[in-house]
Each structure stands twice: as structure tokens, then as C-alpha cells.
Amino acid sequence: MISMPHTAKTGDRRPLAVRVYEQISSDIIDGKIAPGSALVQEQVAAQYGVSRTPVRDALTQLTLEGLATLVPGQGYIVNDLTARDVKDVYEVRYTLEALAARQACGRHTATQLIRLRSMIDEFETLDPYDAAGLFETGRQFHAALIEPCPNQYLRTTLAAMWDHPIQRRITMTYRQGPEHQQNMARDHRRILEALKIHDADTVTEVLRFCHDPNDARTG
């Protein structure tokens, strides 16, 4: 178990368990806590200077979100990502986003299309190894892509998927480098050009590259 900074911040009135959970979750997603690491309640509580109760609540939340597993006799163990985890997440996200994109296609305003283009430009200027930056810019692009979708529940569900720790962990640890960045930017530009002519079929076809864990352009 690695040493982690205390999460307490002046003026932060959120429950301590929430702050402890966010710190541990962030460290797992960023790779600071490696798969297989043990999260022992007593050790975590000592490092944060808190009681075991908020730590227990935080660790329970980690298991609910698939970041850790409670192993009898060992405590909480950080999960590793499997090929099945990646496939399942992308399969669901693609299905929902393709539906939302079809409903959004033809509804984008000129301002929204310009915003999408600026996001692609920004994406291309990022450090190709800046996983956090690439993830956030990509997330914003996909959110803007489906923004005109009239189904609010569908948009809300997709936003929750992007914010889910497993999705963030996959995206921030899967395939980095200049080639991946260029491929993703090219795919996003193809989506933008298809939106301009209301070509929903091309939009959903290109989206599949963004959701296929077996494709070199996955991200």
C-alpha cells in the first residue's frame, strides 16, 4: 500500500468518506495504486488520520464500482482490468452513443459545429502522453456530439458512463502516443464532416472505431 496524501481541504464540507473515496479512486485510476494492492482499513485510516468508519464506507463504494474486491482473509484488493471489462464497457457505450448520435444528427447548430471543431483542434495540440488531458477533451467532444439529442435520459446515462471510474480507468490507461492521438483526431474530424451533411450512418460507423477495444484507434 502506497502512502497517500490527506484529503481534507479547508471549506470542503462533504462527508469524509466521500473525500477518502475520491482520493483512493483517483489514485487507482491514475495508476498510483497498482492492481493487486491491498487496501487495509487500519492502514488507510492511519494514513488519513481518520476512524475506520469513513474508510470502510469508501472501500465499500470502491467494490460497488468494480475498482476493488473484498477477499476473505486478505481485505480489499485493487482489481486489474481484464479484456472482458474493456469489451463490455465499450460495447454498452457504443450502443447507447450510436443511438444518441442518430437522434442528434441534423440538429446541431452552426455554433455547436464550430465548438466541436475547436475541441478537435485542442485535442491535436495536447501532449500525446497526457492521458488525463486526452481523456477530458475526448469526453467533452463526445458530450457535445450528442448534445442536441432530445432524449435527456439517454444523455444523462451516457454522461454517467463517462464519469464512471471503470470507464475513466480504461480510457486513461489504454493506448497512448502520437499515432493513437492522430487516429482519434482523424476519426473525430470524419464525424464532424458527417454531421455537417446529416449523415448519421457515417457518424455511427466512425463511432465504432472509438468503441472497439480490438481496434488500434480505441479511445
Side-chain angles (χ1 to χ4, degrees):
M1 176 72 180
I2 67 173
S3 177
M4 296 178 291
H6 199 289
T7 59
K9 295 180 180 179
T10 302
D12 191 340
R13 298 181 180 276
R14 293 175 302 161
L16 187 56
V18 173
R19 286 178 277 154
V20 173
Y21 158 76
E22 286 188 354
Q23 182 63 61
I24 300 175
S25 174
S26 177
D27 286 345
I28 291 174
I29 291 168
D30 293 342
K32 296 178 182 177
I33 302 179
S37 297
L39 300 171
V40 181
Q41 290 187 39
E42 293 80 0
Q43 294 178 358
V44 175
Q47 289 167 345
Y48 282 91
V50 299
S51 69
R52 292 176 56 184
T53 299
V55 171
R56 182 175 63 248
D57 292 344
L59 295 179
T60 297
Q61 184 64 25
L62 289 172
T63 63
L64 292 175
E65 296 189 336
L67 292 177
T69 298
L70 177 58
V71 180
Q74 298 184 47
Y76 293 86
I77 306 298
V78 176
N79 291 336
D80 197 0
L81 282 174
T82 67
R84 185 71 203 185
D85 292 329
V86 177
K87 182 179 184 299
D88 288 350
V89 168
Y90 279 106
E91 182 176 72
V92 173
R93 202 182 94 192
Y94 170 72
T95 301
L96 295 179
E97 192 166 4
L99 175 61
R102 280 192 175 277
Q103 293 186 17
C105 195
R107 297 173 181 267
H108 292 83
T109 65
T111 299
Q112 288 173 321
L113 293 174
I114 291 173
R115 182 164 168 251
L116 284 165
R117 185 180 65 192
S118 68
M119 289 179 183
I120 300 171
D121 293 340
E122 179 184 353
F123 185 86
E124 290 183 310
T125 66
L126 295 175
D127 181 334
Y129 297 99
D130 177 11
L134 292 171
F135 169 80
E136 180 57 27
T137 306
R139 184 190 67 80
Q140 291 177 6
F141 176 87
H142 284 264
L145 165 63
I146 66 167
E147 187 175 9
C149 172
N151 189 326
Q152 181 177 351
Y153 181 75
L154 182 55
R155 297 197 314 270
T156 301
T157 301
L158 277 164
M161 283 202 67
W162 273 96
D163 288 336
H164 194 282
I166 293 295
Q167 169 65 71
R168 292 173 56 210
R169 187 179 179 196
I170 290 172
T171 307
M172 292 181 65
T173 59
Y174 200 75
R175 300 190 192 282
Q176 299 175 22
E179 183 177 0
H180 168 70
Q181 182 183 28
Q182 292 166 10
N183 285 334
M184 289 306 302
R186 182 166 58 248
D187 287 340
H188 287 175
R189 290 196 184 280
R190 288 184 61 198
I191 289 173
L192 176 58
E193 293 306 312
L195 289 175
K196 292 179 181 178
I197 58 175
H198 305 172
D199 183 357
D201 288 340
T202 296
V203 170
T204 55
E205 176 188 352
V206 179
L207 269 178
R208 188 176 296 278
F209 290 127
C210 301
H211 298 274
D212 182 1
N214 296 314
D215 190 274
R217 289 171 290 188
T218 295

